[in-house]
Amino acid sequence: MASLQEPWLLENGNLKGSSKEMRHGRTAHNMSSSSLRKKSDLTLVSKVKCGMLRLLLTNLQEVILGTKLSVLFPAIPLAIAAQCYGFGRPWIFALSLLGLTPLAERISFITEQIAYYTGPTVGGLLNATCGNATELIIAIFALGQHKVEVVKYSLLGSILSNLLLVLGTSLFCGGIANLGKEQKYDRRQADVNALLLLLALLCHMLPLLFRISGASASLTAVPTLQLSRASSIVMLVAYITYIIFQLVTHRQLFEAQEDSDEDDGDVNSEETPVIGFRSGIVWLVGMTAVVALLSEYVVGTIEDASESWGLSVSFISIILLPIVGNAAEHAGAVIFAFKNKLDISLGVALGSATQISLFVVPLCVVVSWMLGINMDLNFNLLETGALAISIITTAFTLQVIYTTNQFFIS
């Protein structure tokens, strides 16, 4: 009925015009992941007469083969076989990391498909909780094995890789590829994420400063732990407020903007879902279970890989785990920076860093509290200093870019 009353919404048989409502509020994470997807050819599948078999093959075609990272899916059964038959544990670690790469992108795809049925608010909430599911699951399994340092290093590495590697590469490549063009971005969205990151930095610095100011580590251990737990609750409340701000009150600021006049196959997406709602739920649960299995392999073999490769556990946790776990999302951010879509790149880098610092890290502190494990927010002086410099440098860099653009415009 809407199309009859407003014919301008139809263009070449597709709904246009009210893209924010029709596209169910696609976020920068969804847009970034879509750059690595490919259109499935269902010609042969459509000829299958059995309805259930046709549905199964369609789901396999869309979910497994609908990504350019499908070549990495064989690493999943190879990792399971290596674990079952007692192959070298460094091989299990490497294969598990490779298997986690396409799974992270596919979880983003499935949450977007579910959002077609649930609407933008529930879909955004799924993205807010599943956007960094890989890091969260790895952290929970590491906590279960009392590897608190691995949890801290991996989460810190995720924040640093988003702010320094992903955002830095996006700005550099986007600037080189678009010389002479104006690089625009929504300053309001960037300011919100920058302020939330500064809040998370303050909550991280308080336990560190309290520990340093104490006479001895033994006297300040319990108060530092209690301060960390209180700070974690504050961060979780701030994150819930941020989610309400993002999904309800100011949703338009966080929806990825698409240029309707550009013929960009990577950006344009189907206006209708390609898998059913129940199929999406089953796929989401199944892939989360596989991510949990591979995460258990990663946590259990990280020390063996460290000894075999001659790399420290901290280096593997800070550098390798974050890069491999979010390789698809990060690659998409750089691709869109090349296309001068800086809002999407910023949404991925800053949004993911905010989600980890305000949600994943304090949630791990609360979970460890429930498990009787002592995990605080004291990431040591060097690590906290690196986090502080990264956040402050990012905030100043974005301010300089915006000020420079305004100067040349005026």
Side-chain angles (χ1 to χ4, degrees):
M1 294 301 294
S3 61
L4 294 177
Q5 296 173 0
E6 299 180 40
W8 55 273
L9 290 176
L10 285 174
E11 179 180 334
N12 298 327
N14 294 323
L15 286 171
K16 297 290 182 181
S18 57
S19 60
K20 291 184 180 179
E21 288 76 19
M22 295 302 175
R23 295 177 188 275
H24 300 277
R26 301 188 73 208
T27 63
H29 289 79
N30 299 133
M31 295 288 293
S32 175
S33 298
S34 67
S35 64
L36 296 176
R37 296 171 192 167
K38 57 183 181 181
K39 188 175 180 60
S40 301
D41 185 6
L42 301 176
T43 304
L44 295 177
V45 176
S46 61
K47 296 180 180 180
V48 177
K49 297 182 179 180
C50 180
M52 292 296 296
L53 180 59
R54 183 171 61 251
L55 178 62
L56 176 61
L57 293 177
T58 300
N59 276 265
L60 291 175
Q61 181 81 13
E62 295 289 354
V63 177
I64 303 299
L65 301 179
T67 174
K68 298 174 184 178
L69 299 175
S70 58
V71 293
L72 297 179
F73 273 113
I76 299 175
L78 289 176
I80 297 175
Q83 174 70 19
C84 294
Y85 291 99
F87 289 0
R89 295 179 70 79
W91 282 102
I92 299 175
F93 180 83
L95 290 172
S96 299
L97 279 183
L98 289 178
L100 288 172
T101 302
L103 288 174
E105 189 274 331
R106 289 288 85 184
I107 288 178
S108 175
F109 164 75
I110 293 172
T111 54
E112 183 179 351
Q113 293 295 304
I114 295 176
Y116 281 106
Y117 302 96
T118 60
T121 302
V122 178
L125 185 61
L126 278 174
N127 184 75
T129 53
C130 300
N132 289 285
T134 304
E135 290 92 338
L136 180 59
I137 294 175
I138 290 177
I140 291 176
F141 274 100
L143 283 176
Q145 299 184 22
H146 296 267
K147 297 180 180 179
V148 177
E149 295 302 319
V150 173
V151 176
K152 290 184 176 181
Y153 286 138
S154 62
L155 297 181
L156 174 66
S158 296
I159 300 174
L160 295 180
S161 65
N162 277 289
L163 295 180
L164 300 181
L165 177 62
V166 181
L167 184 58
T169 305
S170 299
L171 294 176
F172 178 78
C173 295
I176 295 297
N178 299 281
L179 286 175
K181 298 181 181 179
E182 180 185 357
Q183 287 188 284
K184 300 179 181 179
Y185 73 92
D186 190 345
R187 182 183 177 183
R188 296 169 298 178
Q189 177 182 349
D191 287 347
V192 169
N193 284 284
L195 291 174
L196 289 173
L197 287 171
L198 289 174
L199 172 63
L201 175 62
L202 176 62
C203 293
H204 280 278
M205 291 182 64
L206 288 177
L208 173 65
L209 296 176
F210 188 82
R211 176 67 67 87
I212 293 176
S213 63
S216 63
S218 59
L219 293 177
T220 58
V222 175
T224 300
L225 184 61
Q226 294 174 346
L227 180 59
S228 298
R229 291 169 176 172
S231 299
S232 298
I233 295 175
V234 172
M235 285 193 287
L236 288 175
V237 172
Y239 184 74
I240 294 173
T241 307
Y242 166 65
I243 292 300
I244 297 174
F245 179 84
Q246 180 183 17
L247 300 180
V248 180
T249 61
H250 294 74
R251 191 175 66 198
Q252 69 279 1
L253 297 182
F254 296 88
E255 290 175 349
Q257 300 296 319
E258 301 180 62
D259 298 329
S260 59
D261 57 340
E262 292 186 8
D263 184 16
D264 193 342
D266 291 333
V267 178
N268 294 333
S269 63
E270 302 87 350
E271 294 293 347
T272 57
V274 295
I275 61 176
F277 176 73
R278 286 181 294 181
S279 298
I281 295 295
V282 172
W283 277 109
L284 182 61
V285 173
M287 286 199 168
T288 303
V290 177
V291 169
L293 179 63
L294 295 183
S295 299
E296 184 179 7
Y297 293 168
V298 167
V299 173
T301 57
I302 188 171
E303 288 89 354
D304 299 286
S306 173
E307 295 177 2
S308 177
W309 297 346
L311 302 174
S312 64
V313 174
S314 60
F315 179 85
I316 294 177
S317 302
I318 293 177
I319 305 299
L320 292 185
L321 291 183
I323 293 178
V324 175
N326 289 311
E329 187 178 80
H330 295 173
V334 176
I335 290 173
F336 279 107
F338 272 108
K339 299 175 181 178
N340 202 14
K341 299 180 183 295
L342 195 58
D343 264 334
I344 299 177
S345 301
L346 290 177
V348 171
L350 296 180
S352 184
T354 301
Q355 188 178 79
I356 294 171
S357 59
L358 277 182
F359 175 64
V360 180
V361 172
L363 182 62
C364 288
V365 174
V366 173
V367 170
S368 65
W369 186 7
M370 297 170 60
L371 296 176
I373 301 172
N374 295 332
M375 176 182 173
D376 55 29
L377 293 176
N378 180 15
F379 281 29
N380 299 326
L381 182 60
L382 178 62
E383 289 80 359
T384 306
L387 179 62
I389 293 174
S390 301
I391 294 175
I392 295 173
T393 301
T394 300
F396 273 107
T397 301
L398 295 178
Q399 181 64 34
V400 168
I401 293 175
Y402 181 82
T403 304
T404 304
N405 285 340
Q406 292 299 110
F407 173 79
F408 282 108
I409 291 174
S410 59

